[in-house]
Each structure stands twice: as structure tokens, then as C-alpha cells.
Amino acid sequence: MARVGPGRARGSRRGRGQRRPPTWEISDSDAEGPAGSEADSEAAARARAPAEERGAAQALRLLRPEQAVRRLVVRVDPAILEDAGADILMEALGTLGCEYQVEPQCPARSLRWCRVKPDPCPRSICGPTCSVPWVPPESHACPHLAVIGLDAYLWSRQPSTQEMRQPKNPAVACAELAVRWPEVEEALVLLQLWANLDVLLVASWQELSQHVCAFTKALAQRPFRQHRESQAFSFCVAGRWAAGEQVARDGTGLRGAWRRQITQFNRVSPAVAEAVVSAFPSPRLLQQAYAACSTEQERLALLADLPVEAGEGVRPRRVGPDLSRRIYLFLTTTDPDLLLDLGS
């Protein structure tokens, strides 16, 4: 240790007009080195942590459906545009926010989904990056065949009552009545079983556009859902109500956790839970009381007669045999499929 020289003290008097109190500093260079390097490394680690958190938050934001749909592109075969109703489909895709490109496709008159550019997400967020994370290039997706207006066409081909009364050439009549709904249903089953081809029957271009937009939205939602499902306990959300009771190392808060556990039973009020906790402040004490009972019936009814505190003018009540039975089974049963609440 070394005292600061008088020169620094005189400088302080000139600057502020009053004597600076003596200060001390460490002059051992061997002690300063390791401490300084450790402090620097900790500071660097603290500086990196927010940057990594910001990068992860940015990557998660890019995975959200409203962001992912902007990087989707729907490739439309030019032959589709020959139909007058195709304008409805193009307008629906433009309203959705995704990009569409008119390019020849194989097979003809088909739609194909792909990515505009790779996802700018790090591997730590969505695994190995590829051009289409949820539709890999090597995947062989089952094709879908869309048929527009088949129902209306079949109804229009049905002969009227007057036409049925007039005799016709048997060959012509057989040709007109060859395709009916039973034959259509049989063809749909054969296409699905033998050709692995699903057929979508829609009444209009409007309905087809709704189906295409719904499929596009599903593709945009898939990466975010995959990331969320890959996280441990993805069903847990942030917030104090979901964080449970705070328990300190000295045991403070255990009683509150025990009370909260009892309130998770159906039809249990805080007053009833407080009555149980007041009689048995911990599960261990309650288990010891169960062990001291001589019969099973005594254990089931151990908590039934505990008084529950009630306000003025309210009739006194007790815990009751139903909750007493449920708590006993909860603490002693070894059957994971046992139904505790018989009234549920």
C-alpha cells in the first residue's frame, strides 16, 4: 500500500479550494494483474450476454408467422392464368403479403411453394439453416389435385323430367349417365390409394383461393411452432403467477407453497387450505400423522373435522370427508392413474 503523494493533494486544493482527504491505492503490480484481467473478462461476458439475447430475440421475431409469410413465394404456372377466375387467386395472394411468381411448373397448371431467401436465423435458434426449413428440397410431398365446380357440373348433366320421358338412343343415354356421384367417389378412393393423390373439390375460384391462402399461412406458422415445441416446458409462460411460491434457503415460503398446493385441488377455498396448513404446517407432518393412525378409515377421515375459519354471521364449517380423502390419496397413493376427484 502506498500513500498518494503531496503533489496530487496540492493540485486538488488549487482545483476546488479545499484540502482533499488522504487516499490510499494498491501499488502491488502482481496483485493488480490477475484481478484486472478477471474483471475485464467478467465485463466482456456481461457485454456479450445482452448482445446474444438481442440476437436471439431478433431471430425469434423473424420466425413469427407475420414475418415468415413475407419470405414465402408461390410459383404459379402460366396456364392457370388462362382461366378468368385466376385473377381472384392472384389478388388473394397479394393481399396475404407473400410473393408470387409466374413460372412454368411441372406438372402444368400447378402451384409450388418455396422461399424467397434463406432464413437469417442462427443455428442456435432454428437448427441447420436451409432454403426452406419446413419444406426440405429432398422431401417428396404428396401432390393435391383441385377440381373446381364438379358438383355443379354433375347437377347440370342430370336429365330433366321431360327429357327422361322422351325415348333416346341407348348408346347416347349410356354415355350421358356414365359419370355420377358413386363413380366419382370410387375414383377419388382409387386416386388416393393407388396414385397417392388427394383431390380437393371446390365450388369456385374464391373457395380455391381461400384454401391456397390457408395452406400458405400454415407454412408460415410452421417454423415458429417447431421452435416453440422444441423448448423444454413450452407450455409455461412468463409471469409471477406461473412462477410458483418463492422459497428461501432458510425454508421461508415452504408453508406458502404447501398452502398453494392444497388450493390446486378442485373446490378448495383459501380458508379451507389455511385450516389444513394450520393443523399440519408441512406435508411431512401430515404423513407422520397418517403413519400414527391405526386403520385406513381413520387415515381417510383425519382432516374431515378440522374447523374452517369463517366470517361473522357465517355458519361454522369443517374441511369435510371428501377433501380429507383426496389429500390422503394424493400423499400416499402409488397409482399414477388414480382419479382423486370422484365428482369431476
Side-chain angles (χ1 to χ4, degrees):
M1 306 289 287
R3 185 172 177 176
V4 177
R8 182 175 299 181
R10 285 197 299 271
S12 176
R13 286 199 300 270
R14 288 197 301 268
R16 303 186 60 179
Q18 58 182 351
R19 183 178 179 82
R20 177 180 176 183
T23 58
W24 299 86
E25 63 182 10
I26 300 175
S27 60
D28 187 356
S29 60
D30 294 338
E32 287 181 356
S37 61
E38 183 178 355
D40 293 341
S41 61
E42 291 179 359
R46 287 193 301 269
R48 284 195 304 268
E52 293 177 357
E53 292 177 0
R54 287 193 300 269
Q58 176 69 9
L60 285 177
R61 188 181 69 83
L62 293 175
L63 282 180
R64 292 190 173 276
E66 61 272 13
Q67 297 291 334
V69 73
R70 299 175 184 176
R71 300 191 301 275
L72 272 176
V73 57
V74 182
R75 295 180 177 175
V76 184
D77 188 81
I80 295 180
L81 303 181
E82 297 175 1
D83 195 295
D87 294 340
I88 301 176
L89 175 60
M90 298 296 102
E91 182 179 355
L93 291 176
T95 305
L96 186 62
C98 67
E99 182 180 346
Y100 63 88
Q101 300 174 355
V102 180
E103 298 178 358
Q105 301 297 318
C106 183
R109 304 184 66 85
S110 64
L111 302 175
R112 191 177 298 272
W113 283 260
C114 63
R115 299 287 291 169
V116 178
K117 55 184 177 180
D119 280 334
C121 299
R123 294 177 180 266
S124 59
I125 297 299
C126 59
T129 58
C130 60
S131 59
V132 189
W134 52 90
V135 186
E138 64 274 7
S139 66
H140 301 282
C142 175
H144 295 258
L145 176 64
V147 180
I148 303 176
L150 178 61
D151 193 8
Y153 172 78
L154 293 179
W155 278 104
S156 65
R157 301 295 295 176
Q158 286 188 353
S160 61
T161 305
Q162 183 177 0
E163 292 175 348
M164 294 179 62
R165 293 175 181 175
Q166 297 177 357
K168 284 187 176 182
N169 187 349
V172 176
C174 181
E176 291 181 353
L177 301 179
V179 179
R180 298 298 180 100
W181 268 115
E183 288 79 8
V184 171
E185 293 175 353
E186 182 179 354
L188 295 178
V189 173
L190 290 176
L191 287 173
Q192 188 172 13
L193 293 180
W194 297 104
N196 195 24
L197 181 66
D198 290 332
V199 180
L200 174 67
L201 302 179
V202 293
S204 61
W205 275 95
Q206 181 70 29
E207 186 176 347
L208 177 62
S209 301
Q210 294 174 357
H211 177 80
V212 171
C213 290
F215 186 80
T216 306
K217 290 180 180 179
L219 285 179
Q221 293 172 359
R222 188 173 181 183
F224 184 75
R225 288 181 177 179
Q226 287 179 341
H227 168 72
R228 186 174 56 185
E229 293 173 358
S230 65
Q231 303 301 307
F233 303 109
S234 58
F235 53 86
C236 294
V237 295
R240 191 186 183 286
W241 68 270
E245 197 75 22
Q246 297 293 331
V247 179
R249 291 188 176 183
D250 60 355
T252 305
L254 287 175
R255 179 169 177 148
W258 171 227
R259 183 189 302 107
R260 183 167 180 172
Q261 191 171 21
I262 296 176
T263 57
Q264 291 178 352
F265 286 91
N266 290 336
R267 304 182 303 278
V268 175
S269 64
V272 174
E274 182 61 32
V276 177
V277 172
S278 299
F280 301 96
S282 69
R284 174 65 63 185
L285 294 176
L286 183 54
Q287 288 177 333
Q288 292 174 357
Y290 286 140
C293 296
S294 56
T295 62
E296 184 76 4
Q297 191 65 30
E298 186 179 353
R299 298 186 186 95
L300 289 170
L302 180 63
L303 306 177
D305 293 329
L306 291 179
V308 178
E309 184 179 352
E312 282 186 37
V314 180
R315 189 169 121 190
R317 58 194 181 109
R318 56 197 182 96
V319 171
D322 179 60
L323 180 59
S324 178
R325 177 191 63 83
R326 286 188 284 162
I327 293 179
Y328 167 70
L329 294 176
F330 172 71
L331 291 177
T332 59
T333 186
T334 57
D335 182 8
D337 298 324
L338 180 65
L339 182 63
L340 299 180
D341 191 358
L342 298 179
S344 61

